[in-house]
Amino acid sequence: DAKTTQPPSMDCAEGRAANLPCNHSTISGNEYVYWYRQIHSQGPQYIIHGLKNNETNEMASLIITEDRKSSTLILPHATLRDTAVYYCIVRVGGTGGFKTIFGAGTRLFVKA
Amino acid sequence: NAGVTQTPKFQVLKTGQSMTLQCAQDMNHEYMSWYRQDPGMGLRLIHYSVGAGITDQGEVPNGYNVSRSTTEDFPLRLLSAAPSQTSVYFCASSSPSGAGANVLTFGAGSRLTVL
């Protein structure tokens, strides 16, 4: 699986959009981008994933560049409860996606 | 639908003792994995399985054994606990097909302290 690079930490004001970047310059054509978050010491929680098109769900939006070498997770209106560590992962789709390696992630602090 | 269930939630061991962390999922997922997370660190993959009877090593397998006799269960065994194995352990499962293909579902974690 391709490696990812994320900033170690970011701040965001409550109510503003949080934009979390991820670099995955060595991504292969059959690899998807997944985002998870971990609040305090809970188990990581799935947020969103995509292959090459932008995606949106009730939690967030995922913007993937046209060359697929980077992506941005957008939390449109961050709240204090969004303070967490956010992990960007690339993983082969289908039956090849049996193994997931996590990096260090980005620690997002949402401030009042 | 319970998802992924881990037991125990907390455990204290003495150096040299053995124990098994249990993980069970009720989603009929083919893939299961064990991770450990040390304080302030990310998750590291210990072992994983792609189906009953098939397991393989992850990034940090030393000191741990696994087996997968059924689709639902994936226990993690510590044969001789060491203080370096003090950590929070997470079990996860996923399926390679369907709308949520390869989306990991995690358990709540098992916090292990080795004295």
Side-chain angles (χ1 to χ4, degrees):
Chain A
D1 293 342
K3 291 185 178 179
T4 62
T5 303
Q6 299 178 254
S9 66
M10 296 181 64
D11 290 343
C12 178
E14 189 178 22
R16 304 296 295 270
N19 297 284
L20 291 90
C22 180
N23 181 285
H24 31 79
S25 59
T26 60
I27 193 170
S28 300
N30 63 346
E31 288 180 315
Y32 289 71
V33 180
Y34 290 79
W35 283 84
Y36 293 82
R37 74 179 182 183
Q38 186 176 24
I39 297 173
H40 195 43
S41 57
Q42 299 176 17
Q45 173 191 26
Y46 165 78
I47 301 172
I48 198 168
H49 75 284
L51 182 62
K52 53 185 177 181
N53 297 321
N54 298 337
E55 302 287 344
T56 296
N57 62 21
E58 65 278 4
M59 291 182 68
S61 295
L62 174 60
I63 308 298
I64 302 174
T65 59
E66 191 169 345
D67 62 8
R68 302 186 67 237
K69 292 185 177 181
S70 66
S71 61
T72 301
L73 178 75
I74 301 172
L75 307 178
H77 305 288
T79 71
L80 298 178
R81 288 176 295 179
D82 292 322
T83 292
V85 178
Y86 288 78
Y87 297 99
C88 169
I89 294 155
V90 292
R91 191 176 178 187
V92 175
T95 56
F98 50 82
K99 179 178 172 182
T100 298
I101 303 296
F102 283 78
T106 295
R107 188 172 296 274
L108 176 69
F109 296 94
V110 180
K111 300 181 176 180
Chain B
N1 189 340
V4 177
T5 302
Q6 291 184 234
T7 56
K9 287 185 169 51
F10 300 95
Q11 183 71 48
V12 178
L13 290 178
K14 294 181 179 178
T15 297
Q17 288 185 317
S18 63
M19 77 157 300
T20 299
L21 299 177
Q22 302 289 347
C23 176
Q25 53 94 7
D26 61 358
M27 298 170 284
N28 202 33
H29 284 173
E30 294 90 330
Y31 301 160
M32 296 187 75
S33 306
W34 275 103
Y35 294 87
R36 62 175 287 175
Q37 185 172 36
D38 299 335
M41 307 289 287
L43 291 93
R44 291 185 291 172
L45 181 64
I46 305 173
H47 285 285
Y48 63 96
S49 169
V50 298
I54 306 171
T55 65
D56 206 346
Q57 297 180 350
E59 302 172 279
V60 288
N62 292 341
Y64 307 95
N65 280 353
V66 291
S67 60
R68 185 101 179 266
S69 57
T70 67
T71 300
E72 295 78 18
D73 301 298
F74 190 43
L76 178 72
R77 297 183 183 86
L78 285 73
L79 300 180
S80 179
S84 61
Q85 293 178 303
T86 293
S87 190
V88 180
Y89 292 84
F90 290 101
C91 179
S93 71
S94 64
S95 173
S97 60
N102 291 327
V103 170
L104 291 167
T105 298
F106 283 85
S110 296
R111 187 177 298 273
L112 175 67
T113 301
V114 182
L115 303 175

